[in-house]
Amino acid sequence: MELDHLSFGFCLFLIVSSSILCDSNAFVPADNYLIDCGSSTNTTVDSRIFLADLSISWTLSTPKTILASTTENSVSSLYQTARIFTGTSSYSFPIQKQGRHFIRLYFFPFRYQSYDLTSATFTVSTQDFMLLTNFQAPNSSNAVFKEYSINITAATLTITFTPLGQSSLAFINAIEVLSVPDDLIGDFSQTLNPKGTYDGLSKAVLETIYRINMGGIKVFPSQDTLWRTWLSDRSFLKSENLAKFVNFSGAINYLPGGATRETAPDIVYSTATELQEPSTVVRPLFNLTWEFNVDKSSFMIRLHFCDIVSKAIGNLYFNVFVNGFLAVSNLDLSTLTVNTLAAPYYVDFVAAVTDDSSKIRVSIGPSTLDNVLPDGILNALEIMKMNTTSASLDGEAFSITDNQSKKKLGIILGSAFGVFFLVLLAVVLCMVLRRKEKKIKKDKSKSWLPLSNYRSSLLSSTSKLSNETTAASGQNGLGLQFPFAVLQEATNNFDENQVIGVGGFGKVYKGVLKNDTKVAVKRGNSKSQQGINEFHTEIELLSRLRHRHLVSLIGYCDENNEMILIYEYMEEGTLKSHLYGSGLPPLSWKQRLDICIGSAKGLHYLHTGSAKAIIHRDVKSANILLDENLMAKVADFGLSKTGPDLDQTHVSTAVKGSFGYLDPEYFRRQQLTEKSDVYSFGVVLLEVLCARPVIDPSRPREMVNLAEWAMKCLNKGQLEQIIDPHLAETIKSDSIKKFVETAGKCLADYGIDRPTMGDVLWSLEYAMQLQEAMPSTLELDSLHRISQLSPRVNALNNDLLEASPNAGRNDLSDLSMSSVFSQLLKSEGR
Ligand SMILES: *[C@@H]1O[C@H](CO)[C@@H](O)[C@H](O)[C@H]1NC(C)=O
Ligand SMILES: *[C@@H]1O[C@H](CO)[C@@H](O)[C@H](O)[C@H]1NC(C)=O
Ligand SMILES: *[C@@H]1O[C@H](CO)[C@@H](O)[C@H](O)[C@H]1NC(C)=O
Ligand SMILES: *[C@@H]1O[C@H](CO)[C@@H](O)[C@H](O)[C@H]1NC(C)=O
Ligand SMILES: *[C@@H]1O[C@H](CO)[C@@H](O)[C@H](O)[C@H]1NC(C)=O
Ligand SMILES: *[C@@H]1O[C@H](CO)[C@@H](O)[C@H](O)[C@H]1NC(C)=O
């Protein structure tokens, strides 16, 4: 057993270290033609050698050889020579590796003998695509640089120059043709209006129009992994005084499955432009906008993000707009980058510019979430013109809809969102790695393993088995399907000794997969319709929702009419077992607060993390699980219901839930809102405070129901009657006061009087601040005091004071659940 751990760990170590080695290797293009046209000598630019084109004249066919040069010194040496064509001429490059290539063309018109290159008008095309139509280099002292990105599927690339007009001249100063990594441009992109996906990018011919490094200085080809140029964003910013330029000196954490150094290099991700921090308590309700002039056409817009500004995860949420459309709502980089700071992330949009103003505007703006500081960043931006016909880049904009791709949803989920799901899988991976690392006592630095390896090691049986299982299938399509045999083996054929819990749904077994990953296997026993419904609800919800404070679904099995769900194993069991009845050592006040905060975050995410709020319906201490670090995760979504539509106020439903936690209003009116969860969570808070069961029939009548009894005591100011005696020593009175007050508000009779989960979360975090504050500060007006401790809290305070929990909020109803992002959309049921 121990040996297994060691060898598994060692394998991980090998894979991780080899992948680190790969990262440090610079990308070497399979095809790499660099030609200094018209030159008789090689030219070295940015430590790359552009060959004299005489030495590769075998690639060229032209009626007449004219090599031109200028004495103009103000331009790069590449521009000082040119080859002039008086008739149709072409370069032919054998292609070693099919796939995407950059084609870069350098033009600088000068006068050479009787040839005036400023008068040259010509076309440039590949064998099947027109790159430049009627091109004439502007008569100024500026050079013209063009970069195209083309998926070359032929064995030879032919670039043809065709002179037009009276002068009948064409020319070129330098050419680059180089391979780029296959994954640089995926096949799928999002659309903005309507929201959806666009597929077909892998065939598109792209022309780079803008490549911008936000918050930064210009990045030169020598500093880029693919010899690209990134311009500074300053001249594109609409109001520079709203912006703050950030420069980060730490390491950029490229994650497997995400952006790579070829997507954009460290130097690009290390700078960002940030929303200017609020100077005072006034919440800055402005967007920061960059504006780019473009032709009427269709464009691929790639936004690069990397959270180099936060000190801790989960603090940065912001909105992103492209041309006035909400592109990403409440972008939460922490979640998208597996809770890693300074990890790059990018997202592509396809948009058509059809109006005559012909501008692309990209904005970042403050989040609409509660208790989130107005902030936002952008690290880099690329705007590429897309071909709108199959022959040329000069067509009109085409209308971009997601109709074509709807039927391919399965594939899209599998591939376009691949990065996203890989990232999700990485959450699980990360936990496994952490555990393994501890065991082999490696250093604490984060290590990663390619996800494909992880995925198969998760199933590590025979290859036949993994073949069967890696294809995620079924109507849910998202979860990982496990063969029944693998689960039988993992749980020792569902041995009763492995049972770690029993619920309405069935028994929960502890299981160990072949690779020593511990899992919790929940096996449904009833074939009732309710059971089946709950099974599907849970798979569907959990596959869609990922959050560090929600228990992750690893997979499921529905072979032979089985209904089995496989979850991450939570080492420390339920919160309930740590509060009473199991003889475990009592938790400290800080631990309890941490657990409450964690579970509040999980519930807050459920309520606000998708377009439609999700109501848990069975919030209780037995459904809050703790991992080995006592981090809380909310579990058991079997009863969950999607919340009210934005235009409805509640969901009517039969009363379900657990006795003692049940919202009396829900009971009375059978109408479900998120506030029912808030009520139940209030009961959990009391449970945490008092460390006793919510219903305890062994007690005197008035004490049986915890919620009733505790509220009675609290209203009489008799806190000492109910508080867990273990807490008395460690607890600070202001902290407990805030905590008790919060619990009381949660238990308000009417949902409308209860705070939202976001408000509860804030109050609990505040209680934590009070607990950790220096003793002397507590004697003064605590709210005032604390507000001076941290500007962040200060701003939050003001938010809380200004906005009553029920104040109207911006509802953004044009969002769809299918979007990849955690759309932490507020959709309060009221
Ligand atoms: C240019 O460089 C190439 C490869 O490094 C070499 O083969 C060729 O002889 C050089 N040509 C000249 C004119 O120096
Ligand atoms: C370009 O400008 C130069 C002088 O600035 C002029 O002599 C030449 O005719 C111009 N060429 C064209 C094509 O307009
Ligand atoms: C290039 O196009 C071919 C088919 O047109 C496609 O199979 C391939 O995946 C594409 N390659 C890239 C890197 O997009
Ligand atoms: C960022 O910091 C580095 C090192 O301190 C410096 O070389 C670089 O110029 C800075 N970049 C910007 C945009 O200020
Ligand atoms: C930001 O821009 C979007 C789109 O133009 C707009 O809907 C939103 O209200 C703006 N936000 C602020 C705070 O001005
Ligand atoms: C762009 O050009 C490619 C290659 O010619 C073609 O396959 C693709 O359909 C074109 N895209 C559009 C939108 O016409």
Side-chain angles (χ1 to χ4, degrees):
M1 196 63 169
E2 204 44 46
L3 194 69
D4 268 353
H5 280 156
L6 276 175
S7 55
F8 181 62
F10 186 63
C11 285
L12 283 187
F13 175 72
L14 281 185
I15 292 161
V16 167
S17 40
S18 64
S19 67
I20 287 167
L21 273 178
C22 289
D23 273 351
S24 66
N25 282 349
F27 172 74
V28 180
D31 294 306
N32 193 16
Y33 296 100
L34 310 175
I35 307 175
D36 185 6
C37 304
S39 173
S40 52
T41 57
N42 289 344
T43 307
T44 303
V45 177
D46 295 331
S47 61
R48 288 193 300 165
I49 301 172
F50 282 71
L51 298 184
D53 77 349
L54 281 182
S55 68
I56 58 161
S57 55
W58 56 269
T59 62
L60 180 65
S61 75
T62 182
K64 195 170 166 195
T65 292
I66 306 168
L67 304 183
S69 61
T70 177
T71 49
E72 178 94 60
N73 285 324
S74 66
V75 285
S76 141
S77 49
L78 275 184
Y79 289 113
Q80 290 174 8
T81 59
R83 184 178 271 276
I84 298 176
F85 308 112
T86 52
T88 302
S89 310
S90 46
Y91 286 92
S92 297
F93 304 105
I95 296 300
Q96 310 277 326
K97 181 172 176 292
Q98 302 191 336
R100 225 162 241 289
H101 288 68
F102 276 145
I103 297 178
R104 293 180 177 140
L105 305 176
Y106 298 74
F107 302 99
F108 179 65
F110 52 78
R111 194 180 273 278
Y112 175 73
Q113 297 173 353
S114 61
Y115 304 103
D116 180 5
L117 300 185
T118 60
S119 69
T121 307
F122 53 100
T123 62
V124 183
S125 56
T126 70
Q127 59 264 48
D128 39 31
F129 202 86
M130 188 70 80
L131 299 178
L132 281 168
T133 321
N134 289 327
F135 174 72
Q136 185 168 20
N139 192 3
S140 66
S141 54
N142 290 333
V144 177
F145 172 75
K146 296 277 181 187
E147 181 186 270
Y148 302 93
S149 159
I150 300 190
N151 178 355
I152 301 176
T153 48
T156 305
L157 169 70
T158 305
I159 301 178
T160 303
F161 296 80
T162 311
L164 303 169
Q166 288 181 332
S167 69
S168 244
L169 286 182
F171 72 97
I172 181 76
N173 299 70
I175 300 182
E176 284 182 46
V177 175
L178 69 146
S179 309
V180 301
D182 281 342
D183 55 7
L184 187 65
I185 308 280
D187 196 35
F188 298 91
S189 158
Q190 300 192 44
T191 60
L192 292 163
N193 183 32
K195 269 202 164 252
T197 40
Y198 173 85
D199 58 339
L201 266 188
S202 69
K203 292 199 192 83
V205 175
L206 303 171
E207 178 187 350
T208 308
I209 307 292
Y210 292 100
R211 183 174 283 131
I212 310 291
N213 179 27
M214 268 60 197
I217 36 168
K218 184 173 172 181
V219 172
F220 291 93
S222 58
Q223 298 168 294
D224 183 79
T225 43
L226 299 175
W227 303 279
R228 290 162 294 202
T229 303
W230 303 73
L231 300 178
S232 159
D233 66 325
R234 296 201 187 202
S235 55
F236 302 98
L237 262 173
K238 276 192 76 180
S239 26
E240 201 178 318
N241 57 333
L242 301 182
K244 185 173 144 195
F245 302 108
V246 191
N247 188 359
F248 177 71
S249 54
I252 300 298
N253 302 305
Y254 290 88
L255 303 181
T260 65
R261 285 207 160 74
E262 284 73 48
T263 314
D266 298 58
I267 186 171
V268 168
Y269 281 122
S270 295
T271 61
T273 297
E274 188 182 10
L275 281 185
Q276 182 72 262
E277 239 163 57
S279 51
T280 57
V281 291
V282 182
R283 199 184 165 117
L285 285 175
F286 58 76
N287 291 328
L288 187 58
T289 301
W290 294 263
E291 212 169 66
F292 303 91
N293 293 322
V294 292
D295 298 335
K296 213 191 242 191
S297 184
S298 295
F299 297 89
M300 178 193 128
I301 299 162
R302 172 168 290 186
L303 306 172
H304 296 266
F305 301 97
C306 183
D307 186 355
I308 54 171
V309 300
S310 296
K311 302 280 176 285
I313 56 164
N315 281 334
L316 181 65
Y317 296 90
F318 56 99
N319 289 328
V320 182
F321 302 91
V322 174
N323 280 350
F325 296 110
L326 184 62
V328 191
S329 162
N330 295 308
L331 178 63
D332 171 12
L333 289 172
S334 302
T335 306
L336 292 165
T337 57
V338 210
N339 295 324
T340 311
L341 287 178
Y345 171 79
Y346 67 91
V347 56
D348 295 337
F349 294 95
V350 166
V353 174
T354 49
D355 58 346
D356 289 325
S357 76
S358 293
K359 281 194 194 315
I360 288 181
R361 287 184 318 278
V362 174
S363 312
I364 52 176
S367 160
T368 44
L369 291 178
D370 296 341
N371 303 339
V372 166
L373 267 197
D375 202 343
I377 56 165
L378 185 61
N379 297 65
L381 169 72
E382 292 172 272
I383 298 179
M384 317 256 193
K385 189 174 178 179
M386 293 169 65
N387 66 309
T388 54
T389 70
S390 56
S392 143
L393 267 166
D394 284 348
E396 287 278 294
F398 56 90
S399 89
I400 292 160
T401 64
D402 60 338
N403 295 345
Q404 73 183 117
S405 40
K406 270 198 176 128
K407 57 179 184 286
K408 296 183 182 164
L409 194 64
I411 307 170
I412 293 165
L413 290 174
S415 350
F417 301 171
V419 170
F420 180 64
F421 285 109
L422 285 179
V423 165
L424 294 184
L425 258 178
V427 174
V428 181
L429 162 67
C430 184
M431 284 172 340
V432 173
L433 275 176
R434 245 184 243 154
R435 215 168 285 161
K436 296 294 168 194
E437 263 176 9
K438 239 190 255 167
K439 281 184 179 135
I440 58 176
K441 299 205 163 58
K442 288 226 70 71
D443 63 64
K444 292 240 159 51
S445 67
K446 281 210 177 79
S447 346
W448 297 93
L449 143 106
L451 287 157
S452 49
N453 294 28
Y454 174 67
R455 200 176 182 174
S456 43
S457 75
L458 197 65
L459 290 162
S460 73
S461 298
T462 66
S463 60
K464 182 178 144 283
L465 275 182
S466 21
N467 279 346
E468 273 170 28
T469 52
T470 40
S473 61
Q475 67 273 52
N476 303 303
L478 304 172
L480 185 57
Q481 212 170 349
F482 276 63
F484 186 63
V486 166
L487 299 176
Q488 264 180 318
E489 193 182 324
T491 57
N492 200 6
N493 202 12
F494 297 98
D495 186 345
E496 286 299 309
N497 294 326
Q498 304 270 61
V499 173
I500 50 174
V502 183
F505 179 89
K507 286 180 181 165
V508 184
Y509 300 81
K510 179 178 174 178
V512 183
L513 297 180
K514 271 262 171 70
N515 64 4
D516 284 334
T517 312
K518 285 185 203 161
V519 289
V521 179
K522 186 158 109 175
R523 187 183 194 191
N525 53 9
S526 91
K527 294 276 143 42
S528 69
Q529 193 54 44
Q530 184 192 334
I532 293 167
N533 288 347
E534 288 178 10
F535 179 66
H536 287 298
T537 307
E538 187 133 3
I539 294 178
E540 216 175 277
L541 281 181
L542 276 177
S543 316
R544 259 180 351 199
L545 296 169
R546 295 284 160 159
H547 191 273
R548 59 186 272 146
H549 293 292
L550 299 182
V551 170
S552 312
L553 184 71
I554 293 177
Y556 65 94
C557 167
D558 55 6
E559 259 171 51
N560 328 325
N561 284 331
E562 288 284 349
M563 295 190 296
I564 302 178
L565 296 167
I566 302 108
Y567 301 91
E568 59 178 314
Y569 182 70
M570 299 289 286
E571 200 75 46
E572 289 291 347
T574 67
L575 167 61
K576 187 177 180 177
S577 68
H578 284 264
L579 291 174
Y580 48 84
S582 59
L584 291 169
L587 298 168
S588 73
W589 180 237
K590 191 173 169 309
Q591 283 171 324
R592 295 185 201 200
L593 273 177
D594 259 333
I595 291 166
C596 292
I597 289 172
S599 17
K601 281 183 182 163
L603 288 171
H604 177 58
Y605 176 77
L606 271 186
H607 289 177
T608 58
S610 34
K612 273 186 174 180
I614 290 160
I615 304 169
H616 187 288
R617 291 220 285 176
D618 201 9
V619 176
K620 54 181 178 182
S621 57
N623 280 342
I624 293 171
L625 303 183
L626 305 175
D627 74 3
E628 69 274 28
N629 301 318
L630 292 179
M631 188 173 89
K633 299 194 182 204
V634 178
D636 214 335
F637 299 78
L639 291 181
S640 303
K641 265 257 188 285
T642 309
D645 276 317
L646 294 173
D647 53 352
Q648 268 179 303
T649 56
H650 59 84
V651 174
S652 280
T653 165
V655 173
K656 296 204 187 80
S658 297
F659 197 47
Y661 294 92
L662 215 54
D663 169 11
E665 192 181 48
Y666 171 39
F667 200 75
R668 280 195 305 271
R669 303 173 56 198
Q670 318 232 323
Q671 290 176 346
L672 192 62
T673 71
E674 299 97 299
K675 296 298 180 66
S676 311
D677 283 352
V678 173
Y679 182 93
S680 308
F681 190 70
V683 179
V684 172
L685 293 181
L686 291 179
E687 223 179 328
V688 164
L689 180 71
C690 311
R692 55 151 278 190
V694 291
I695 301 290
D696 189 349
S698 68
R699 301 207 180 205
R701 203 171 202 293
E702 72 277 11
M703 291 171 68
V704 168
N705 184 319
L706 170 64
E708 258 169 43
W709 178 61
M711 286 320 294
K712 205 176 284 168
C713 293
L714 289 174
N715 288 337
K716 284 192 260 171
Q718 300 167 332
L719 175 67
E720 67 289 347
Q721 293 258 344
I722 57 165
I723 190 169
D724 178 3
H726 294 111
L727 286 176
E729 310 287 324
T730 55
I731 206 161
K732 288 206 177 122
S733 68
D734 287 42
S735 176
I736 188 99
K737 220 185 274 171
K738 185 76 201 165
F739 185 89
V740 164
E741 177 197 309
T742 310
K745 283 186 185 157
C746 291
L747 295 178
D749 268 345
Y750 295 96
I752 195 159
D753 298 324
R754 294 174 205 149
T756 64
M757 259 345 276
D759 299 329
V760 174
L761 173 57
W762 184 84
S763 301
L764 291 173
E765 280 178 337
Y766 183 40
M768 179 66 101
Q769 294 258 359
L770 290 168
Q771 175 68 19
E772 291 185 330
M774 290 289 116
S776 61
T777 63
L778 288 172
E779 284 148 26
L780 295 153
D781 170 12
S782 52
L783 192 69
H784 203 88
R785 240 323 108 164
I786 291 298
S787 65
Q788 292 177 359
L789 291 177
S790 140
R792 204 152 262 245
V793 171
N794 188 14
L796 293 179
N797 268 344
N798 282 290
D799 275 3
L800 191 80
L801 297 178
E802 279 162 22
S804 86
N806 303 325
R809 302 226 161 70
N810 288 348
D811 277 342
L812 303 160
S813 41
D814 59 339
L815 289 169
S816 69
M817 186 72 199
S818 65
S819 176
V820 198
F821 300 97
S822 8
Q823 297 170 339
L824 297 167
L825 170 69
K826 193 77 206 165
S827 64
E828 266 183 41
R830 186 166 304 100

